[in-house]
Amino acid sequence: NQDSNLTIIFGTGGESVEGNLWITTLQDLLNEDITNATPLISNSSLGYIAPPSIADLNLDGVLDIITQGFDGKITVINGEDLNILWEYQLPNTESSASPIIGKFSDDDNLHVFATIFSGGMSSYNDYYQVLLNGNSGEVLWMDSLGLINFCTPIAFDSNMNGKDEVLISTINNNGTFFENELILIDFINQSTELFFGP
């Protein structure tokens, strides 16, 4: 928050263990005493994925915190006062992928892209990719590409047009065996294409 005091954000818990998203000072971590860590978000049943993403989504000059729990819920926390700006969650979903940030639209605003699994651990039945408005959490785009999609995606400007595309890693079954594909999603051109695979 530009006061020269560095902070650490970390998650605890896991796919079947409750946990929190915490914040503490770098100095406390170096002193090996984080008993003064403050929970930013608590989760009654599942933990939080590390690392969260950081970006100035509300354009106030302070980096905000974008996190996703194993329960699939995406939460944006105001970096200035640590209050929640918005949350998004699909019922009966989970995730083990971190949300990513990019300039995916015609404007220069930052938006949030996330991967969400339908069902519960070891029995997922669908995988969703969702693009959320960084300022409001409104759904801008959603699809279900690939048979399986566990990995955290990557945002980068693949075609050098000044806007980001999303690269996701999916697994499909060709009828004989499973094979990996990398799929590039271009929101400006409203297209998806095979970046690498059979």
Side-chain angles (χ1 to χ4, degrees):
N1 61 5
Q2 301 179 11
D3 64 0
S4 77
N5 295 318
L6 299 178
T7 55
I8 301 289
I9 302 166
F10 62 97
T12 58
E15 293 95 330
S16 59
V17 180
E18 67 179 77
N20 298 330
L21 185 73
W22 300 85
I23 190 167
T24 191
T25 67
L26 176 60
Q27 192 57 54
D28 280 355
L29 181 67
L30 294 174
N31 292 338
E32 299 182 14
D33 180 7
I34 57 171
T35 55
N36 290 323
T38 303
L40 295 173
I41 309 173
S42 60
N43 188 325
S44 60
S45 58
L46 303 177
Y48 275 85
I49 299 166
S53 297
I54 57 171
D56 184 8
L57 295 185
N58 61 0
L59 305 177
D60 65 354
V62 179
L63 295 174
D64 304 308
I65 304 160
I66 304 96
T67 185
Q68 189 165 14
F70 281 101
D71 63 357
K73 183 187 292 181
I74 299 157
T75 303
V76 174
I77 301 168
N78 189 337
E80 175 70 28
D81 58 16
L82 304 182
N83 289 324
I84 292 175
L85 292 174
W86 57 260
E87 292 181 310
Y88 173 81
Q89 186 172 29
L90 282 174
N92 304 312
T93 58
E94 295 184 357
S95 186
S96 60
S98 294
I100 62 168
I101 313 303
K103 293 183 178 181
F104 302 120
S105 61
D106 284 325
D107 56 35
D108 281 332
N109 293 334
L110 295 173
H111 299 304
V112 179
F113 185 91
T115 303
I116 303 170
F117 316 154
S118 177
M121 185 177 57
S122 74
S123 61
Y124 300 124
N125 53 55
D126 207 350
Y127 299 81
Y128 301 108
Q129 302 85 31
V130 61
L131 178 65
L132 303 170
N133 183 296
N135 188 51
S136 67
E138 172 193 1
V139 176
L140 301 175
W141 178 93
M142 178 182 277
D143 209 332
S144 177
L145 302 173
L147 180 65
I148 300 171
N149 176 206
F150 279 122
C151 299
T152 296
I154 297 170
F156 70 108
D157 184 3
S158 68
N159 56 11
M160 306 300 287
N161 68 348
K163 304 298 179 182
D164 294 314
E165 290 76 49
V166 171
L167 187 68
I168 63 170
S169 173
T170 65
I171 299 172
N172 289 296
N173 190 321
N174 67 9
T176 305
F177 54 85
F178 289 97
E179 53 193 10
N180 181 253
E181 295 179 351
L182 297 178
I183 298 174
L184 192 67
I185 306 170
D186 184 334
F187 298 105
I188 300 297
N189 296 316
Q190 300 181 0
S191 65
T192 60
E193 64 178 89
L194 185 65
F195 186 79
F196 173 83

